[in-house]
Amino acid sequence: MRLVFHLLGWLLVLCGLIVFAGDLLAYMTLDLFTLRPFGEVWAAIHRDSLAMLQPAIERHVWAPLWQDIIFPVLLWPAAPVLFALGLLVVLVTRRGAPPVKRRGFKR
């Protein structure tokens, strides 16, 4: 299961880089550099899931969670959000260092 989340983390990092590349491409063609908001990128991919997220969280989880945490994150630039979220998942799911074997007397 850890491998699945680890790969998902790398996929998020890749998506962050792709979104940033798209923002750079828009800069080259329009000569206006803006980072698209995370909510805009999500809506471009699947608008219905974003529209259903707000009532689901407000009714079934905790109403202030939407207004105080999730909605502001949707206004943040998408590339850094995806990249940071991906790195966080990769770091949490990485394997730790193997245990050190000690030499000497056994008890």
Side-chain angles (χ1 to χ4, degrees), residues 9 12-21 23 33-39 41 73-89:
L12 286 171
V13 169
L14 180 64
C15 288
L17 292 174
I18 291 171
V19 168
F20 185 68
D23 290 340
F33 184 71
T34 58
L35 294 173
R36 289 179 291 163
F38 182 59
V41 172
V73 170
L74 291 173
L75 298 176
W76 292 353
V81 169
L82 290 168
F83 191 78
L85 182 61
L87 280 181
L88 179 69
V89 172

Side-chain angles (χ1 to χ4, degrees), residues 6-105:
H6 195 75
L7 292 174
L8 179 67
W10 282 115
L11 182 65
L12 286 171
V13 169
L14 180 64
C15 288
L17 292 174
I18 291 171
V19 168
F20 185 68
D23 290 340
L24 284 178
L25 185 63
Y27 169 66
M28 286 187 226
T29 57
L30 301 175
D31 202 30
L32 174 68
F33 184 71
T34 58
L35 294 173
R36 289 179 291 163
F38 182 59
E40 180 182 318
V41 172
W42 188 347
I45 295 170
H46 197 266
R47 186 172 301 275
D48 292 339
S49 66
L50 181 58
M52 290 186 302
L53 182 67
Q54 180 181 2
I57 288 182
E58 287 180 344
R59 289 183 191 144
H60 302 291
V61 181
W62 186 44
L65 179 66
W66 176 261
Q67 192 64 29
D68 297 337
I69 297 171
I70 295 174
F71 184 72
V73 170
L74 291 173
L75 298 176
W76 292 353
V81 169
L82 290 168
F83 191 78
L85 182 61
L87 280 181
L88 179 69
V89 172
V90 166
L91 290 175
V92 167
T93 59
R94 71 184 171 118
R95 290 184 186 259
V100 177
K101 293 184 178 179
R102 295 184 183 191
R103 295 180 183 218
F105 298 107

